[in-house]
């Protein structure tokens, strides 16, 4: 059994004052406690009886278990999603005066950069950041009424938790206050929002004052940003504070893609990449000073199983990557920067020596475990992912919930079946996941809503390792080609395991050569020839899993918000898209023939009818999520999967295609990953050690 996660209960490191604050800035700047007696205390009240139709147990991986979540929790979650969507539209449709004109999507991108900054201040200062473990104490933490964050901060927190492994890792390493809170208090947070208007309830004076006192920020984030609004950022080289505009006419503000600043004190020119390098050197200094307590990012939680890795494996991997040796003096970050360089490429070259040997075998591609570690240092702050871009991607899913009418709370007063079916299908999805270990399964929209909700209940979600063997990650940066193939396999496995179609939205199912007719539509075939079976009511043996109604059918559309844009797709991706179109056309033709000959069952006829005007998913290259990822506003992610992306397409720089860390190529995340222990084995074998010596090291 893996050892418990590394302890962070005796740290003496001060909490960061703001983004990229140097570790040498001094003692903790935490403020004294406050009186929250006048804070809001409303709790969301779900529709009466909405949980009553949910079964009291499910069979998952041959075990009978009680429900992992309930329809009422989905309803509360939908209140938040509706409020986030309304907030986005308010920002995008801003009509006030602005000294720098911005397109709606550009204004939203800048707003998100500020929201991420405000979330960092709230999480580190008000809830408890690194170095405040002793103050926080032990045991779970209940979010006080005056600690309920503003809507923009809540939106970032929500998205952060939808990356469960990264969130868990960052909480263990940097954010102990969030770790103690555990699950998102859905009912409390939904209660802070008017479920009819989807506007936040007016905050109490004490709540506004507490947020401002702890974070140094106004409670409400401005919908539009002007050139006069600034953010303090420390110089990576000399640690002096610089006051930087969020946006400028030249496009080099902190929230803009071409951000760059010449330090007022030392004239050192730094960018977001440089700030990320500084973060790496700060972690390197801590690990060198106390290697038994501090570890590099993405080494604490096993990124295959989603559970804390063995502490010895985390220690060994960190020591290996950093080439740490006893007796070697520890250099402060500024000196490390002068010695090794201030680019992520220089950091990568340094770490390759530890992973591959002193000769840095240049002909060998940078090991994937190293790329995974360094990907956490592409941006400043305590977060291991670009949260602004993650919110942009998440908005694609939220928009689909709005289009389904799910964020209209009045519907749930009468309709209890839809959310109940979401929860039932999700539990069956978990059972399917347990039977297809190692495979990538793709959810439908209704299942994905329940999946997202369960991830927010992270205390329960992390216990899935006891049920299905892993804590599933929820990767929202996967190429559409990989998604389309995985969806086909998911749909086929679902039909075989549960006896009904996975989806009847109009997306045509995959080949099933094992069926009785050998046709790709044997999933919908029947014996003999007869008139249309739609003349009779559909015989549905699993009403708990599927409804033939048109409204319910759209809820079973594949959830494609995981896919990212391929802006400059290149020939391989264009060819893949063309093959997908041909395959779908072939499926449609075979289904039409089956229906015309009367050999299709009722589900097949339903699918044939709905496929006529239905837009299929995963027809790459199609842009999802980030509508203007290469504009001058916002940071953005590298979205290239073909290696033909644009230079400087991400704030960190070029697409690395596995050979560099700047703008870590997302294509690597389509591949299976090992954990820290597998990474240690790889590294020690590369430097010439035997497998026996590897086992000895890991057992120490």
């Amino acid at each position: 059994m893996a050892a418990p996660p590394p302890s962070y209960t005796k740290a003496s490191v001060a909490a960061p004052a703001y983004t990229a604050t140097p570790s040498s800035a001094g003692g903790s700047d935490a403020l004294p406690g406050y009186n929250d007696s006048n804070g809001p205390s409303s709790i969301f009240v779900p529709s009466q009886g909405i949980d009553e139709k949910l079964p009291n147990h499910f069979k998952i991986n041959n075990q009978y278990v009680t429900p992992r979540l309930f329809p009422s929790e989905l309803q509360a979650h939908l209140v938040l999603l509706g409020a986030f969507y309304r907030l986005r539209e308010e920002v995008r449709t801003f009509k006030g005066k602005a000294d720098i004109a911005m397109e709606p999507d550009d204004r939203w991108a800048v707003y998100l950069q500020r929201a991420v900054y405000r979330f960092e201040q709230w999480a580190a200062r008000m809830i408890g950041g690194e170095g405040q473990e002793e103050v926080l104490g032990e045991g779970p933490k209940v979010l006080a009424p005056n600690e309920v964050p503003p809507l923009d901060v809540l939106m970032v927190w929500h998205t952060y938790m939808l990356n469960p492994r990264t969130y868990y890792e960052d909480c263990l390493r940097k954010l102990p206050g969030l770790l103690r809170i555990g699950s998102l208090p859905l009912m409390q947070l939904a209660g802070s929002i008017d479920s009819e208007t989807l506007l936040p309830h007016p905050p109490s004076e004490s709540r506004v004052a507490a947020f401002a006192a702890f974070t140094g920020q106004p409670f409400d984030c401005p919908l539009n940003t002007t050139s006069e609004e600034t953010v303090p950022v420390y110089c990576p080289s000399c640690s002096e504070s610089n006051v930087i505009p969020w946006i400028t006419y030249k496009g080099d503000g902190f929230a803009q893609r071409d951000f760059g600043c010449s330090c007022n004190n030392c004239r050192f020119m730094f960018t977001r990449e440089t700030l990320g390098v500084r973060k790496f050197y700060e972690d390197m200094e801590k690990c060198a000073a106390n290697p038994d307590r501090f570890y590099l990012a993405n080494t604490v939680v096993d990124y295959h199983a989603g559970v804390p890795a063995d502490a010895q494996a985390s220690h060994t991997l960190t020591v290996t990557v950093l080439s740490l040796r006893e007796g070697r003096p520890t250099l402060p970050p500024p000196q490390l920067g002068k010695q090794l360089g201030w680019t992520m490429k220089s950091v990568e070259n340094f770490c390759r020596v530890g992973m591959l040997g002193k000769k840095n075998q240049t002909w060998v591609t940078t090991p994937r475990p190293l790329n995974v570690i360094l990907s956490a240092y592409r941006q400043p702050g305590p977060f291991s992912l670009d949260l602004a871009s993650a919110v942009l991607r998440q908005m694609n899913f939220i928009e689909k919930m709005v289009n389904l009418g799910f964020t209209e709370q009045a519907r749930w007063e009468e309709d209890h079946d839809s959310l109940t079916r979401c929860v039932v299908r999700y539990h069956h999805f978990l059972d399917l996941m347990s039977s297809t270990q190692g495979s990538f399964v793709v959810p439908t929209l209704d299942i994905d809503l329940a999946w997202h909700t369960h991830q927010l209940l992270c205390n329960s979600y992390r216990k899935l390792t006891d049920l299905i063997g892993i804590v599933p990650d929820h990767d929202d940066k996967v190429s559409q080609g990989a998604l389309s193939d995985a969806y086909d396999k998911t749909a086929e496995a679902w039909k075989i395991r549960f006896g009904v179609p996975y989806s009847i939205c109009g997306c045509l199912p995959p080949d099933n050569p094992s069926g009785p007719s050998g046709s790709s539509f044997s999933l919908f075939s029947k014996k003999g020839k007869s008139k249309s079976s739609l003349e009779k009511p559909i015989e549905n043996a699993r009403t708990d899993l599927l409804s033939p109604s048109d409204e319910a059918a759209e809820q079973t559309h594949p959830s494609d918000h995981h896919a990212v844009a391929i802006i400059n797709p290149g020939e391989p991706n264009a060819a893949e898209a063309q093959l997908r179109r041909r395959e779908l056309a072939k499926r449609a033709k075979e289904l039409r023939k089956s229906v015309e000959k009367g050999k299709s069952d009722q589900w097949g006829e339903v699918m044939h009818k709905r496929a006529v005007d239905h837009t299929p998913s995963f027809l790459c290259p199609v842009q999802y999520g980030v509508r203007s990822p290469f504009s001058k506003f916002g940071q953005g992610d590298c979205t290239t999967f073909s290696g033909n992306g644009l230079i400087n397409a991400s704030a960190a720089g070029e697409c690395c295609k596995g050979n560099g860390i700047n703008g870590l190529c997302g294509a690597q995340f389509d591949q299976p990953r090992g954990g820290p222990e597998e990474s240690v084995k790889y590294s020690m074998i590369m430097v010439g050690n035997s497998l026996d010596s590897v086992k000895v090291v890991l057992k120490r």
Side-chain angles (χ1 to χ4, degrees):
M1 179 178 294
S7 172
Y8 288 86
T9 58
K10 298 182 180 180
S12 57
V13 182
Y18 55 82
T19 301
T21 301
S23 59
S24 59
S28 172
D29 57 359
L31 298 175
Y34 51 84
N35 185 352
D36 59 5
S37 59
N38 296 321
S41 59
S42 56
I43 299 296
F44 175 73
V45 179
S47 299
Q48 186 175 3
I50 196 169
D51 292 335
E52 291 179 357
K53 293 186 178 181
L54 188 70
N56 59 15
H57 69 275
F58 295 95
K59 187 178 181 181
I60 300 176
N61 198 18
N62 294 318
Q63 304 177 53
Y64 286 98
V65 300
T66 55
R68 305 291 97 170
L69 72 162
F70 293 86
S72 56
E73 292 166 326
L74 271 64
Q75 186 183 0
H77 185 193
L78 287 165
V79 172
L80 300 184
L81 298 187
F84 299 156
Y85 181 80
R86 176 159 185 162
L87 175 63
R88 187 191 72 166
E89 294 309 296
E90 287 181 356
V91 174
R92 294 181 73 256
T93 58
F94 175 80
K95 300 299 183 183
K97 294 182 179 180
D99 59 347
I100 298 179
M102 288 186 281
E103 294 296 322
D105 289 335
D106 295 334
R107 185 181 299 108
W108 176 239
V110 171
Y111 184 89
L112 290 182
Q113 293 289 348
R114 298 189 68 172
V116 171
Y117 172 80
R118 286 159 53 84
F119 171 69
E120 179 182 347
Q121 307 312 301
W122 174 80
R125 292 178 152 198
M126 194 170 192
I127 303 303
E130 185 180 14
Q132 297 184 13
E133 291 85 354
E134 291 185 1
V135 177
L136 292 170
E138 299 181 358
K141 172 180 172 60
V142 177
L143 193 68
N146 275 1
E147 291 176 331
V148 173
L151 188 59
D152 62 310
V153 173
L154 173 56
M155 177 177 60
V156 176
W157 187 18
H158 166 271
T159 297
Y160 199 8
M161 295 188 75
L162 296 183
N163 296 268
R165 295 184 192 172
T166 299
Y167 182 77
Y168 194 19
E169 168 104 18
D170 288 352
C171 285
L172 286 169
R173 296 182 64 248
K174 301 285 187 178
L175 300 166
L178 291 181
L179 183 67
R180 285 186 56 215
I181 289 176
S183 297
L184 193 75
L186 274 174
M187 296 302 176
Q188 179 185 13
L189 297 175
S192 69
I193 296 169
D194 188 315
S195 60
E196 293 184 3
T197 65
L198 298 177
L199 289 171
H201 291 301
S204 66
E205 292 183 3
S206 59
R207 183 180 168 205
V208 172
F211 182 83
F214 274 82
T215 67
Q217 296 287 303
F219 189 83
D220 294 317
C221 183
L223 299 181
N224 184 71
T225 298
T226 68
S227 59
E228 296 179 353
E229 295 172 279
T230 60
V231 58
V233 181
Y234 280 98
C235 171
S237 180
C238 72
S239 303
E240 287 295 321
S241 178
N242 290 259
V243 179
I244 301 172
W246 283 104
I247 60 173
T248 68
Y249 291 95
K250 294 191 301 180
D252 59 356
F254 192 69
Q256 295 171 292
R257 186 173 303 281
D258 295 329
F259 164 68
C261 176
S262 177
C263 176
N264 295 328
N265 179 57
C266 68
R267 298 304 172 189
F268 177 73
M269 187 70 186
F270 61 92
T271 64
R272 280 186 176 271
E273 178 185 4
T274 321
L275 293 171
V277 172
R278 168 72 189 227
K279 179 171 72 170
F280 177 85
Y281 289 151
E282 288 179 355
D283 280 357
M284 182 175 174
E285 180 185 28
K286 295 175 187 175
C287 294
N290 193 346
D292 293 325
R293 172 168 150 59
F294 293 104
Y295 310 127
L296 288 175
N298 288 333
T299 65
V300 174
V301 173
D302 188 298
Y303 36 79
H304 171 68
V307 297
D310 183 271
Q312 182 60 44
S314 300
H315 165 82
T316 304
L317 182 56
T318 296
V319 169
T320 300
V321 170
L322 298 179
S323 302
L324 298 180
R325 300 290 184 272
E326 290 187 12
R328 178 177 293 183
T330 302
L331 298 178
Q335 292 188 31
L336 286 172
K338 292 178 182 179
Q339 184 179 94
L340 302 178
W342 286 106
T343 67
M344 284 305 298
K345 189 64 180 178
S346 62
V347 171
E348 178 195 4
N349 289 336
F350 168 76
C351 295
R352 279 173 58 93
V353 175
M355 288 290 286
L356 301 176
K358 293 183 179 180
K359 295 182 179 180
N360 186 10
Q361 306 168 38
T362 56
W363 61 91
V364 178
T365 300
T366 296
R368 191 162 183 279
L370 178 56
N371 275 337
V372 171
I373 291 172
L374 296 183
S375 68
Y377 297 96
R378 287 193 296 143
Q379 58 281 318
F383 317 122
S384 297
L385 76 161
D386 178 1
L387 281 174
S389 293
V391 175
L392 283 169
R393 291 191 298 271
Q394 187 59 218
M395 274 295 163
N396 183 49
F397 175 77
I398 294 176
E399 194 166 352
K400 285 179 167 56
M401 293 295 103
V402 172
N403 293 337
L404 287 174
F406 272 25
T407 56
E408 299 173 6
Q409 290 299 304
R411 74 172 288 171
W412 306 124
E413 295 300 324
E414 300 294 336
D415 179 10
H416 295 177
D417 291 340
S418 294
L419 292 185
T420 299
R421 192 179 302 111
C422 289
V423 175
V424 172
R425 281 169 58 85
Y426 171 66
H427 284 83
H428 284 71
F429 183 75
L430 291 176
D431 181 56
L432 182 70
M433 196 182 295
S434 71
S435 68
T436 55
Q437 288 285 346
S439 299
F440 183 55
V441 288
V442 179
T444 53
L445 288 173
D446 55 352
I447 292 174
D448 214 10
L449 171 62
W451 194 1
H452 286 196
T453 307
H454 197 194
Q455 288 171 72
L456 300 178
L457 307 174
C458 59
N459 290 341
S460 168
Y461 192 73
R462 289 170 191 155
K463 294 178 182 178
L464 285 179
T465 184
D466 300 326
L467 191 60
I468 62 176
I470 62 170
V471 181
D473 204 12
H474 193 264
D475 200 342
D476 65 354
K477 291 197 298 181
V478 183
S479 71
Q480 297 180 64
L483 278 173
S484 63
D485 293 341
Y487 175 77
D488 286 350
K489 294 176 181 177
T490 303
E492 185 174 358
W494 179 281
K495 178 64 167 64
I496 293 172
R497 192 168 183 85
F498 304 121
V500 290
Y502 187 45
S503 170
I504 54 171
C505 63
C507 289
L508 301 180
D511 291 343
N512 183 25
S514 61
S517 68
S519 164
S520 63
F521 283 89
S522 54
L523 287 174
F524 296 135
S525 65
K526 64 180 181 182
K527 296 182 179 179
K529 180 177 180 179
S530 63
K531 295 181 180 180
S532 171
S533 56
L534 283 183
E535 297 175 359
K536 304 176 183 178
I538 291 181
E539 297 178 4
N540 183 6
R542 295 301 306 268
T543 56
D544 59 331
L545 295 181
L546 202 61
S547 169
S549 71
D550 291 337
E551 184 180 32
E554 284 303 309
Q555 300 166 17
T556 65
H557 186 72
S559 185
D560 53 15
H561 81 283
H562 310 266
V564 300
I566 302 178
I567 305 301
N568 189 15
E571 293 182 5
N573 296 101
E576 185 177 11
Q578 185 62 28
L579 287 173
R580 180 71 178 174
R581 291 188 181 93
R582 290 176 181 174
E583 172 63 22
L584 292 177
K586 177 183 176 183
R587 295 179 188 181
K589 181 179 179 180
E590 291 183 356
L591 180 57
R592 176 176 56 80
K593 288 181 178 180
S594 180
V595 170
E596 289 175 350
K597 293 179 180 180
K599 294 185 177 181
S600 173
D601 65 8
Q602 291 175 307
W603 293 119
E605 294 190 26
V606 168
M607 290 290 288
H608 173 63
K609 177 183 176 182
R610 289 188 175 133
V612 175
D613 297 319
H614 187 72
T615 302
S617 294
F618 315 129
L619 281 182
C620 55
V622 177
Q623 184 176 327
Y624 286 91
V626 187
R627 296 184 177 179
S628 302
F630 298 147
S631 71
K632 62 182 179 180
F633 295 97
Q635 183 174 348
D637 270 341
C638 173
T639 55
T640 304
F641 288 95
S642 63
N644 295 317
L646 304 177
I647 300 299
N648 291 325
S650 70
E654 63 189 24
C655 172
C656 67
K657 188 59 178 176
N659 294 310
I661 190 57
N662 291 349
L664 178 66
C665 181
Q668 295 203 25
F669 288 88
D670 284 347
Q671 304 168 11
R673 292 179 248 177
E677 188 168 326
E678 288 75 14
S679 303
V680 172
K681 293 177 181 177
Y682 170 87
S683 175
M684 298 194 72
I685 291 172
M686 289 299 293
V687 298
N689 292 338
S690 66
L691 265 179
D692 290 337
S693 64
V694 173
K695 295 176 182 177
V696 170
V697 169
L698 290 175
K699 287 181 179 179
R700 288 176 183 171

